[in-house]
Amino acid sequence: MTPPTAPSTPPPVLLGDAEVRARLTPATATAAVRHALLEHQAGRLAAPPRVHAGLGGGELVFTVGALAAEGTTHGIPGVHGFRAYGTADRAGEQLVAVWDSASGRLTAVVHGHELGPRRTGAIGAVAVEALARTGGPGGCRLGLIGTGPQGWAQLWALSASASHRPAEIAVFGRRRERAERFAARVREELGLAARAVDSARAAVQGREVVIVATNSPTPVLEADWVAPGTHLSTLGPKSTTHYEIPPELAERAALIVTDSPAQAGSYGTDHLLGPTPLTALGAVLAGTAPARRGRDDITLFSSVGLAGTEVAVAAALTRA
């Protein structure tokens, strides 16, 4: 008698940069990270600080997350997984692996350069929506310092925002020609009114939203350029020896928010904002912590990367 054939297990979905660019929308990414932030606040997303494994000339870094299953209303299954990337080559690819928590089956593997910045962009867009003033009828005026993939992903995510889609964008980069190309790409691919400006000051002054996304070890703006009522997001270096924003800006801010207080706290006294009380973005979203109190408040978002959000975005991508 022939024994019954065991049901085959479908192989994991394998996705690269081309698939991420084609299939991941800003709406999908921002919905996934907003859900993850709220679940983390509710204690249903396990998101420990990242782990560093020494490799001699560099490190292999892991971020791990486990997202509990949502109720029957939405029917989103529980998932867990990790992201891994190396530090020896800053341009190296990242890998995100996702498991279905109920079955233990590996469901997706996403590799390349695209998912990480777009996940960070989605977190930034959620922060802007939660903390920034709304702009005029046409949207907010935004200033961007930095013309790399992280700056691009912030604009990509905000391009689908119902409340804070940028009406105009002033872009500054160290090389004018690169800023011109970046602004042209924003206009062509995102349909946003973007232009290159001659100075960081011109990108900052008079803006409701300012995004700083550089690798600079020294401040790229001055605190008194930031007008009352501005929201500023910082994505680059924020250690006590390398920092892209001036410490005085933290002193002017009425509220400083981060996506992961645990990750920010893991830097200890080496973090530029370490001594400052940091509010969790998830708490603001859940309404358990105040957001902007007054129209003239300066709000500051310190993006550090909540572990598990990349797993949540990868899982949502495979369901899309």
Side-chain angles (χ1 to χ4, degrees):
M1 182 176 180
T2 304
T5 304
S8 60
T9 301
V13 177
L14 302 178
L15 301 173
D17 283 342
E19 290 82 8
V20 172
R21 285 190 293 266
R23 295 171 54 173
L24 183 63
T25 66
T28 296
T30 53
V33 300
R34 184 180 289 108
H35 173 66
L37 287 160
L38 285 166
E39 291 296 279
H40 184 245
Q41 181 65 23
R44 293 189 292 268
L45 170 64
R50 59 177 61 97
V51 175
H52 298 255
L55 296 175
E59 294 178 317
L60 192 60
V61 184
F62 294 88
T63 60
V64 181
L67 188 63
E70 199 171 1
T72 55
T73 303
H74 297 91
I76 299 176
V79 295
H80 64 270
F82 69 86
R83 174 181 59 146
Y85 60 94
T87 61
D89 179 6
R90 296 184 65 88
E93 290 190 330
Q94 298 186 6
L95 181 145
V96 178
V98 183
W99 282 263
D100 174 81
S101 296
S103 66
R105 185 174 70 85
L106 179 65
T107 58
V109 175
V110 185
H111 64 91
H113 302 88
E114 292 286 346
L115 184 67
R118 290 174 192 257
R119 181 273 313 214
T120 305
I123 295 174
V126 172
V128 168
E129 291 176 342
L131 301 170
R133 297 183 303 179
T134 55
C140 68
R141 294 170 298 171
L142 185 147
L144 172 66
I145 302 177
T147 56
Q150 293 291 354
W152 167 262
Q154 297 288 313
L155 301 183
W156 169 81
L158 279 170
S159 68
S161 174
S163 59
H164 289 80
R165 177 181 167 89
E168 58 170 291
I169 303 167
V171 180
F172 175 73
R174 288 179 299 171
R175 295 190 291 274
R176 174 71 188 218
E177 64 278 6
R178 183 169 179 176
E180 293 279 9
R181 291 196 300 270
F182 183 96
R185 184 187 174 199
V186 171
R187 294 192 298 268
E188 294 165 7
E189 297 186 22
L190 301 181
L192 300 175
R195 60 186 175 87
V197 294
D198 293 327
S199 68
R201 186 169 188 164
V204 171
Q205 288 187 321
R207 305 287 157 182
E208 285 95 15
V209 176
V210 173
I211 297 172
V212 187
T214 76
N215 290 320
S216 177
T218 57
V220 295
L221 73 156
E222 295 184 15
D224 60 4
W225 296 350
V226 180
T230 301
H231 168 76
L232 186 142
S233 292
T234 173
L235 283 83
K238 292 177 284 291
S239 74
T240 54
T241 56
H242 296 75
Y243 43 92
E244 67 175 2
I245 62 170
E248 295 80 10
L249 189 56
E251 298 172 5
R252 293 191 61 203
L255 178 67
I256 303 178
V257 177
T258 185
D259 45 338
S260 176
Q263 182 60 54
S266 70
Y267 293 96
T269 57
D270 291 334
H271 196 282
L272 180 67
L273 305 176
T276 310
L278 302 179
T279 298
L281 179 56
V284 175
L285 297 176
T288 57
R292 173 179 296 278
R293 289 186 174 90
R295 185 168 179 79
D296 288 338
D297 283 352
I298 292 174
T299 56
L300 176 60
F301 176 64
S302 173
S303 180
V304 296
L306 174 64
T309 48
E310 61 281 335
V311 173
V313 173
L317 173 61
T318 59
R319 293 192 299 265

